[in-house]
Amino acid sequence: KLGLKNIKAITDLEYTRARRVGESQMLNFGLGYRRIESELRGSNGYIDFDPEVRFQDALRGFAQDQIEFASLSSSLVLGTQIELSTLAGLEIQPNVRWLWTPDDQQTVWAAVSRAVRTPSLEEVDIVQRFDVTDTPFQRGSDDFHSEELLAYELGYRRPLGAHAFLDLATFYNQFDELQSIELDGNGIGFYDNQVEADAWGLEAALDFDPRSDWRVRTSYTFFEMDFEAEQGSFENVDDFVDTKDELVPRHRLALRSYYDLAEDWELDTGFYWTDEHSAWFFENPAYWRIDARLGWRPSERFEFSLGVQNAQRREH
């Protein structure tokens, strides 16, 4: 009822190549082209798309150079992707990654990356009405452009004995040009880019193998996010933008077990906990989620499995 998306045709072409430059460099590069022809029909005037038929073209080029510094026990990766598309225009997404292995037990890595989320057809073309005879209360905007992310990451890895492995990572993300809802002079809402945000946190993973036929994977994530809107943005009315801070859960836990019952039988289980995240009229209390899978592999060519996902609360 909210609209029908009909992808009529997708054309996707890509050329990639890798070559070694000297003894310490590996260069990867390529070109790509994609065309998507889509048709979005609305629902009897309540939700429409203007235009209904869209041709989206994207031409991209990418390159990545990995340089080894044997004397420093490290490697450096430099890369970028350049894309020219119908809805986003020209976007450049570079990244730099550094890896240091001071000994055979430890690894330190760091990265700085830029990424974008290009506009969707909803943000550009949608037209929404409360009644088919009403003027629109919400519309898309040709001026909506890509959301931007600048990400900083730092990580550390090392084994803990012969059967365990520790992985730690911290991150700080700067979001800019995020989606906002604004009002024009006639009181009609439209999509714009007047919100920014900072996010930071850490991830810790501990993997260990109690036995040769049993593997356990654990992880914990802490995530904090702070949204801000530009002065004069409609998002600042009644501190609406501040409520978005609570939409993302701060804490998440995961425990996964992979057990070989026999040579051709497997039992996999997962326990996941997510902290509460509630804002506006969304009420999401903290919850557990359980997944389980029983697999049988009678031969290398066949596998049968029976599983259950979200086996806890009906809401999940």
Side-chain angles (χ1 to χ4, degrees):
K1 294 181 180 180
L2 295 181
L4 170 65
K5 183 174 183 180
N6 178 22
I7 302 297
K8 301 177 67 175
I10 297 178
T11 303
D12 204 346
L13 304 174
E14 187 172 273
Y15 168 79
T16 62
R17 188 173 180 183
R19 60 179 300 178
R20 182 166 289 280
V21 182
E23 297 182 356
S24 60
Q25 282 186 261
M26 176 62 73
L27 180 64
N28 293 272
F29 57 93
L31 294 171
Y33 168 77
R34 168 173 285 191
R35 160 163 277 209
I36 301 177
E37 179 185 356
S38 58
E39 182 175 346
L40 288 83
R41 297 177 181 174
S43 54
N44 301 322
Y46 294 97
I47 296 180
D48 293 311
F49 294 87
D50 183 21
E52 289 187 343
V53 177
R54 271 279 192 180
F55 293 89
Q56 301 176 71
D57 297 287
L59 179 65
R60 65 187 180 276
F62 63 90
Q64 177 176 287
D65 189 12
Q66 181 171 340
I67 309 169
E68 303 288 341
F69 298 94
S71 60
L72 300 176
S73 302
S74 62
S75 62
L76 180 67
V77 177
L78 304 173
T80 190
Q81 175 173 283
I82 301 175
E83 182 172 279
L84 181 63
S85 63
T86 303
L87 297 183
L90 180 65
E91 294 289 356
I92 302 175
Q93 302 178 75
N95 72 85
V96 178
R97 295 185 176 272
W98 170 72
L99 184 71
W100 177 44
T101 53
D103 53 49
D104 58 359
Q105 295 289 307
Q106 302 180 84
T107 301
V108 180
W109 60 272
V112 180
S113 311
R114 181 184 186 270
V116 300
R117 184 188 72 82
T118 56
S120 68
L121 292 182
E122 174 189 350
E123 291 159 327
V124 176
D125 295 339
I126 198 169
V127 180
Q128 293 179 269
R129 297 177 176 87
F130 288 118
D131 188 89
V132 293
T133 60
D134 289 343
T135 57
F137 70 87
Q138 177 75 28
R139 61 176 175 81
S141 172
D142 290 332
D143 294 329
F144 186 86
H145 45 264
S146 299
E147 297 181 331
E148 302 175 7
L149 164 65
L150 186 59
Y152 303 88
E153 302 168 88
L154 179 65
Y156 175 75
R157 305 185 182 108
R158 67 161 300 153
L160 299 177
H163 304 286
F165 194 89
L166 177 66
D167 196 328
L168 301 173
T170 62
F171 59 88
Y172 177 71
N173 296 336
Q174 292 179 307
F175 296 89
D176 199 9
E177 308 290 349
L178 293 181
Q179 181 199 90
S180 66
I181 303 296
E182 308 298 333
L183 295 180
D184 64 14
N186 298 316
I188 299 175
F190 65 95
Y191 289 108
D192 205 354
N193 302 83
Q194 297 195 35
V195 172
E196 60 184 29
D198 292 330
W200 59 92
L202 60 89
E203 299 174 342
L206 177 63
D207 301 342
F208 59 97
D209 302 333
R211 296 171 28 169
S212 61
D213 56 0
W214 187 18
R215 300 168 300 284
V216 179
R217 306 291 181 256
T218 66
S219 64
Y220 165 75
T221 302
F222 171 79
F223 188 92
E224 186 80 32
M225 198 163 187
D226 180 35
F227 290 86
E228 297 291 341
E230 295 180 13
Q231 189 71 25
S233 170
F234 183 70
E235 297 275 343
N236 283 320
V237 175
D238 296 328
D239 297 323
F240 179 74
V241 70
D242 292 334
T243 63
K244 293 184 176 182
D245 299 348
E246 307 302 324
L247 283 176
V248 182
R250 286 185 174 86
H251 307 279
R252 290 184 179 180
L253 289 171
L255 173 63
R256 298 178 297 276
S257 170
Y258 307 92
Y259 186 61
D260 298 330
L261 295 173
E263 183 177 350
D264 52 357
W265 284 90
E266 303 169 340
L267 177 62
D268 303 333
T269 54
F271 302 87
Y272 306 89
W273 180 81
T274 300
D275 196 10
E276 65 174 338
H277 47 294
S278 302
W280 315 326
F281 48 84
F282 298 105
E283 294 294 334
N284 295 299
Y287 66 92
W288 282 95
R289 191 183 102 230
I290 300 174
D291 296 346
R293 169 190 169 274
L294 179 64
W296 177 46
R297 191 188 300 271
S299 70
E300 294 183 356
R301 300 180 59 188
F302 293 97
E303 177 182 321
F304 302 91
S305 64
L306 177 66
V308 59
Q309 291 182 308
N310 305 321
Q312 191 67 3
R313 300 167 62 95
R314 289 182 297 173
E315 297 93 321
H316 303 284

